[in-house]
Amino acid sequence: MALSTLKDRVRAATTPTAEPTVEATVTRAADVPQQSTPDELHTSAQGEGGDVADIALNWLERYGAEFTKALPSHIDNGAFFAAVRAALPGLVRCTPASLLQALLTCARFGLVPDGRHAVIRREGKTAVFVPMAQGYVELMYRSGRVGSIHVGMVHEGDEWNYEPTAPAPLDFTHRPALTVSKKNRGEPILAYAFAWMESGARSQVIVLTREDAEEIRDQYSQAYQRAQESGAKDSFWHTDFPAMWRKSALRRLHKVVPMSAELVALLKADDAGDAGQVQVVHAPAEDAQLLAEATVAHDAAEASQDRAETSVRPLPRKRSQPKRTTRKGRRGLRR
């Protein structure tokens, strides 16, 4: 039997031995309104044994064809949809439009929201696509110019040396003390990243101290500032500082390694999510159009929510400006 909906494909990916029947799918869809608000989805899910993921999938299944179109051919659909289903219970209170745009952005970049390559994170009622360090590595490899990428942490008990003026690869060496316990290795003191090109050349080594990472966090991360000011302290900088430290070193490789257009777009989408802005506008145009259609379709369902808490901002409209002709230009035209 063909799996025609998003929910069917996710169920097949997560429970391969129990394919849902047509009757079960139709009954499930009839139980939950397609135009439900996040609070209604949560209430319905509690009434049906807390199966939040299935309730949310009933809403997302109408866009199944768009997800299939968005995913690159080299990405396994089953792995992507299984990761989506696992993430949905924590995202059910997000606005439908923000959830749709975050998932489509993730799919368009060909990253699986599995916690390693990418994460779909809830901030208030907004779903945010967050590419992780492994996601950046994946896109660097796709450029075809990078042969290998190395990202690591230097601990107090490790042997290491950094001489920026020495020729590569003698300018940086790191010998982790892997034979001793984690406690004896000490605290991390440096994060570093470098790449070997397909040509055989090696990039400059990016080295960040803890102080460097804290400066990046304080200066550039609006998500961190919001979490600080609210007292929630639940941003990734709060909950997993070492991972963000390594990711910051990896992101700075874009200054010394040839970047593909896709990787540049990922950097912009990542920054937009941190700033609380719509991310899907950095993906191909059809995704932006789909987001606009989804927002209009769910205006009625979200009308009861406080506009101050609305998570999805309207897409910017480009206005064409008439060309101004200088006096000199007008005299040239008269001639």
Short mmCIF file of all heavy atoms in Angstrom, two decimals, residues 155-158 175-186:
data_model
loop_
_atom_site.label_atom_id
_atom_site.label_comp_id
_atom_site.label_asym_id
_atom_site.label_seq_id
_atom_site.Cartn_x
_atom_site.Cartn_y
_atom_site.Cartn_z
N HIS A 155 42.06 20.01 26.59
CA HIS A 155 41.87 20.03 28.04
C HIS A 155 43.19 20.34 28.75
O HIS A 155 44.27 20.25 28.15
CB HIS A 155 41.32 18.68 28.52
CG HIS A 155 39.93 18.41 28.07
ND1 HIS A 155 38.85 18.41 28.92
CD2 HIS A 155 39.42 18.16 26.83
CE1 HIS A 155 37.74 18.15 28.25
NE2 HIS A 155 38.06 17.99 26.99
N GLU A 156 43.08 20.70 30.01
CA GLU A 156 44.26 21.13 30.77
C GLU A 156 45.36 20.08 30.78
O GLU A 156 46.54 20.40 30.74
CB GLU A 156 43.84 21.47 32.21
CG GLU A 156 42.96 22.70 32.32
CD GLU A 156 42.40 22.89 33.72
OE1 GLU A 156 42.32 21.88 34.46
OE2 GLU A 156 42.06 24.02 34.08
N GLY A 157 44.98 18.79 30.83
CA GLY A 157 45.96 17.72 30.92
C GLY A 157 46.49 17.24 29.58
O GLY A 157 47.32 16.31 29.55
N ASP A 158 46.05 17.82 28.47
CA ASP A 158 46.49 17.40 27.14
C ASP A 158 47.82 18.04 26.77
O ASP A 158 48.22 19.09 27.31
CB ASP A 158 45.45 17.79 26.08
CG ASP A 158 44.12 17.09 26.26
OD1 ASP A 158 44.07 16.10 27.03
OD2 ASP A 158 43.13 17.53 25.64
N ARG A 175 47.68 16.46 21.35
CA ARG A 175 47.72 15.06 21.75
C ARG A 175 46.85 14.89 22.99
O ARG A 175 47.28 15.15 24.11
CB ARG A 175 49.15 14.60 22.04
CG ARG A 175 50.06 14.64 20.82
CD ARG A 175 51.47 14.16 21.17
NE ARG A 175 52.32 14.14 19.99
CZ ARG A 175 53.02 15.19 19.56
NH1 ARG A 175 52.93 16.35 20.22
NH2 ARG A 175 53.77 15.11 18.48
N PRO A 176 45.60 14.44 22.80
CA PRO A 176 44.69 14.27 23.95
C PRO A 176 45.21 13.21 24.92
O PRO A 176 45.75 12.18 24.49
CB PRO A 176 43.38 13.83 23.30
CG PRO A 176 43.50 14.19 21.86
CD PRO A 176 44.95 14.10 21.53
N ALA A 177 45.03 13.46 26.19
CA ALA A 177 45.44 12.49 27.22
C ALA A 177 44.31 11.48 27.41
O ALA A 177 43.59 11.48 28.41
CB ALA A 177 45.75 13.22 28.53
N LEU A 178 44.17 10.59 26.43
CA LEU A 178 43.04 9.66 26.41
C LEU A 178 43.21 8.50 27.38
O LEU A 178 42.24 7.80 27.68
CB LEU A 178 42.83 9.13 24.99
CG LEU A 178 42.52 10.18 23.92
CD1 LEU A 178 42.36 9.53 22.56
CD2 LEU A 178 41.26 10.96 24.28
N THR A 179 44.42 8.27 27.86
CA THR A 179 44.65 7.13 28.76
C THR A 179 44.36 7.45 30.21
O THR A 179 44.40 6.56 31.07
CB THR A 179 46.11 6.65 28.64
OG1 THR A 179 46.99 7.73 28.96
CG2 THR A 179 46.40 6.15 27.22
N VAL A 180 44.06 8.71 30.51
CA VAL A 180 43.75 9.09 31.89
C VAL A 180 42.24 9.34 32.00
O VAL A 180 41.53 9.44 30.99
CB VAL A 180 44.52 10.35 32.31
CG1 VAL A 180 46.02 10.12 32.19
CG2 VAL A 180 44.11 11.55 31.47
N SER A 181 41.75 9.42 33.21
CA SER A 181 40.32 9.66 33.43
C SER A 181 39.94 11.07 32.99
O SER A 181 40.80 11.96 32.88
CB SER A 181 39.98 9.47 34.90
OG SER A 181 40.62 10.45 35.69
N LYS A 182 38.64 11.27 32.74
CA LYS A 182 38.17 12.59 32.35
C LYS A 182 38.50 13.63 33.41
O LYS A 182 38.83 14.78 33.10
CB LYS A 182 36.67 12.55 32.10
CG LYS A 182 36.27 11.74 30.87
CD LYS A 182 34.77 11.80 30.66
CE LYS A 182 34.37 11.03 29.41
NZ LYS A 182 32.89 11.07 29.18
N LYS A 183 38.45 13.22 34.67
CA LYS A 183 38.75 14.15 35.76
C LYS A 183 40.19 14.61 35.69
O LYS A 183 40.51 15.79 35.87
CB LYS A 183 38.48 13.47 37.11
CG LYS A 183 38.75 14.36 38.31
CD LYS A 183 38.43 13.64 39.61
CE LYS A 183 38.72 14.53 40.82
NZ LYS A 183 38.43 13.82 42.08
N ASN A 184 41.11 13.68 35.39
CA ASN A 184 42.52 14.03 35.33
C ASN A 184 42.88 14.81 34.07
O ASN A 184 43.93 15.46 34.03
CB ASN A 184 43.38 12.77 35.42
CG ASN A 184 43.34 12.15 36.81
OD1 ASN A 184 43.09 12.84 37.79
ND2 ASN A 184 43.57 10.85 36.88
N ARG A 185 42.04 14.71 33.03
CA ARG A 185 42.30 15.53 31.83
C ARG A 185 42.08 17.00 32.11
O ARG A 185 42.62 17.87 31.42
CB ARG A 185 41.38 15.11 30.68
CG ARG A 185 41.83 13.87 29.94
CD ARG A 185 41.02 13.69 28.67
NE ARG A 185 41.37 14.68 27.65
CZ ARG A 185 40.73 14.84 26.50
NH1 ARG A 185 39.66 14.08 26.22
NH2 ARG A 185 41.10 15.76 25.63
N GLY A 186 41.26 17.29 33.12
CA GLY A 186 41.01 18.68 33.48
C GLY A 186 39.92 19.32 32.65
O GLY A 186 39.29 18.68 31.79
#
